[in-house]
């Protein structure tokens, strides 16, 4: 009788163990979505897919990241709101400056020509400037910054004329992200800036709601903006880095070993995005030129920089010189 009871208990325990993933089988994988606003062929998406694959491999399938591109989960402001609020566990945001509506100091990345060299910008992001942005600007919002992917310099496209000097922007309806600093800068340059989220942009260009837009080369090409634009000007007016951010509570839910796996994979994705972007940028420009778009390279950078000086002065007055000093340190290395 006693033996029969033990057999019943043993069977019950075995059934419970199987239900919980026992019997030598792993528990069900934890699956987390990461949203971003960029096309599936964009270098950042390619790097993020590699990130997800490395994490899955290193956690032996216990943690899976699903990368959701093309603004399916919302535009970048919505992605930030959802990640801060915990509705979304993580997101890749296409620029530090996208956080300026939540943390005004993030607008430093929006200052035109604050970075004129890609390597200097990368050095700054990898050193004290990047640490400052993470620790003092983004993470106090309730987020964890895992890394910054490459998003490159922004260029101007439009359907009306070549842009070589500030006067060429006069009266152009130019789509910009919904960011106060970007709007102000392009007003100073004579354009009529129209704030709009990225997922709406192709249709707006196609229908003539706006004349043009400004984005990094990979975004211009992967979203096929050149199909509805006649001119592209290599203004290199703003350099952007893309923060990969986690909701703080989500991040704390990972044990230290898993956090290290994620951070190692994030560094790999950062390095990959930088390598991919340089090649993609070159190839994308060739494809755009071959499509019949007029490419302007003889841009009067000094004239553009002179026009936007008031934006620099206003930012420095509000937020001080500390971040400028950190960038200067990177320039000297």
């Amino acid at each position: 009788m006693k033996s029969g009871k033990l057999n019943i208990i043993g069977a019950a325990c075995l059934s419970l163990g199987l239900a919980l993933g026992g019997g030598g089988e792993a528990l069900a994988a934890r699956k987390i979505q990461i949203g971003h606003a960029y096309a599936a062929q964009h270098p950042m998406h390619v790097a993020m897919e590699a990130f997800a694959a490395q994490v899955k491999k290193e956690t032996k399938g216990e943690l899976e990241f699903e990368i959701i591109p093309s603004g399916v989960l919302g535009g970048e402001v919505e992605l930030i709101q959802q990640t801060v609020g915990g509705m979304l566990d993580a997101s890749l945001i296409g620029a530090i400056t996208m956080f300026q509506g939540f943390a005004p100091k993030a607008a430093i990345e929006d200052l035109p020509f604050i970075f004129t060299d890609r390597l200097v910008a990368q050095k700054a992001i990898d050193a004290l400037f990047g640490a400052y942005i993470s620790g003092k600007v983004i993470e106090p919002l309730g987020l964890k910054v895992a890394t910054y992917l490459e998003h490159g310099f922004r260029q101007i496209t439009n359907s009306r004329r070549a842009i070589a000097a500030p006067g060429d922007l006069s009266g152009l309806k130019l789509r910009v992200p919904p960011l106060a600093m970007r709007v102000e800068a392009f007003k100073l340059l004579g354009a009529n800036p129209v704030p709009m989220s990225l997922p709406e942009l192709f249709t707006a260009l196609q229908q003539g709601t706006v004349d043009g837009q400004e984005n990094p080369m990979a975004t211009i090409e992967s979203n096929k903006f050149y199909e509805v634009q006649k001119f592209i000007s290599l203004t290199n007016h703003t350099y952007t880095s893309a923060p990969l951010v986690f909701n703080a509570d989500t991040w704390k839910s990972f044990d230290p070993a898993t956090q290290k796996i994620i951070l190692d994979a994030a560094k790999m994705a950062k390095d990959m995005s930088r390598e991919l972007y340089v090649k993609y940028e070159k190839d994308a420009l060739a494809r755009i030129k071959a499509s019949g778009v007029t490419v302007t390279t003889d841009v009067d950078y000094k004239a553009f920089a002179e026009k936007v000086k008031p934006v620099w002065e206003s930012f420095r007055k509000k937020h001080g010189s500390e971040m400028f000093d950190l960038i200067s340190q990177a320039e000297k290395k």
Side-chain angles (χ1 to χ4, degrees):
M1 186 73 177
K2 186 175 181 181
S3 176
K5 284 183 179 180
L6 289 174
N7 286 338
I8 292 170
I9 292 170
C13 289
L14 177 61
S15 297
L16 178 60
L18 291 172
L20 293 174
E25 297 178 10
L27 292 171
R30 181 179 179 184
K31 296 184 178 180
I32 289 177
Q33 291 185 326
I34 301 179
H36 68 77
Y38 300 90
Q41 61 267 40
H42 194 289
M44 290 196 299
H45 181 77
V46 176
M48 286 302 297
E49 289 284 9
F51 161 82
Q54 181 165 315
V55 170
K56 183 176 180 180
K57 178 183 177 182
E58 294 298 323
T59 62
K60 297 179 172 56
E62 292 181 6
L63 179 59
E64 293 184 19
F65 289 117
E66 182 184 9
I67 314 301
I68 310 294
S70 303
V72 170
L73 299 181
E76 295 195 303
V77 173
E78 291 97 339
L79 289 172
I80 294 171
Q81 290 171 333
Q82 291 176 63
T83 310
V84 169
M87 289 78 77
L88 187 61
D89 288 306
S91 57
L92 177 70
I93 306 302
I96 292 167
T97 190
M98 293 304 301
F99 289 86
Q100 67 181 262
F102 309 85
K105 284 187 176 182
I108 189 162
E109 192 186 53
D110 236 359
L111 294 178
F113 307 106
I114 192 166
F115 291 115
T116 55
D117 180 273
R118 188 191 305 273
L119 292 179
V120 169
Q122 291 174 352
K123 285 180 183 178
I125 288 295
D126 291 345
L128 295 176
F129 174 74
Y132 184 98
I133 294 296
S134 295
K136 299 290 184 70
V137 179
I138 297 177
E139 291 182 348
L141 300 174
L143 298 170
K144 165 66 181 179
V145 178
T147 193
Y148 296 90
L149 272 67
E150 176 81 7
H151 199 186
F153 283 101
R154 301 178 80 89
Q155 320 295 353
I156 298 174
T157 73
N158 80 101
S159 59
R160 292 177 57 184
R161 54 181 175 265
I163 306 297
D168 298 326
L169 282 170
S170 181
L172 280 184
K173 290 183 292 183
L174 195 73
R175 176 269 174 182
V176 296
L179 302 169
M181 182 76 77
R182 193 79 55 87
V183 170
E184 181 60 26
F186 277 100
K187 281 183 179 178
L188 289 170
L189 291 170
N192 178 16
V194 180
M196 183 184 299
S197 67
L198 188 65
E200 304 171 61
L201 181 50
F202 184 90
T203 301
L205 293 169
Q206 187 177 46
Q207 295 178 349
T209 306
V210 292
D211 299 312
Q213 60 85 48
E214 49 86 47
N215 258 301
M217 188 68 70
T219 303
I220 293 168
E221 200 272 344
S222 63
N223 285 279
K224 302 186 184 301
F225 296 151
Y226 63 92
E227 292 184 354
V228 288
Q229 300 277 267
K230 296 179 181 179
F231 304 93
I232 180 168
S233 297
L234 305 187
T235 52
N236 287 342
H237 55 276
T238 306
Y239 177 88
T240 46
S241 297
L244 170 59
V245 296
F246 285 80
N247 172 274
D249 289 333
T250 297
W251 182 255
K252 291 172 187 174
S253 73
F254 300 125
D255 61 58
T258 302
Q259 289 179 352
K260 184 178 186 307
I261 287 171
I262 293 171
L263 291 176
D264 288 345
K267 182 182 183 304
M268 178 277 300
K270 176 193 72 175
D271 294 341
M272 177 183 283
S273 73
R274 289 177 176 179
E275 292 177 12
L276 288 173
Y277 201 93
V278 172
K279 183 178 187 306
Y280 190 103
E281 192 172 56
K282 181 179 178 181
D283 293 345
L285 182 59
R287 288 190 290 267
I288 289 171
K289 186 181 289 187
S291 75
V293 172
T294 298
V295 179
T296 300
T297 58
D298 57 336
V299 174
D300 190 345
Y301 301 107
K302 288 184 179 179
F304 276 99
E306 187 66 27
K307 281 281 188 180
V308 296
K309 271 188 176 179
V311 177
W312 279 61
E313 292 164 3
S314 176
F315 186 92
R316 196 186 294 270
K317 185 176 180 180
K318 288 179 182 176
H319 304 296
S321 297
E322 186 174 4
M323 289 183 286
F324 293 92
D325 295 339
L326 296 176
I327 291 172
S328 295
Q329 289 181 31
E331 289 173 342
K332 294 173 184 176
K333 289 183 178 179

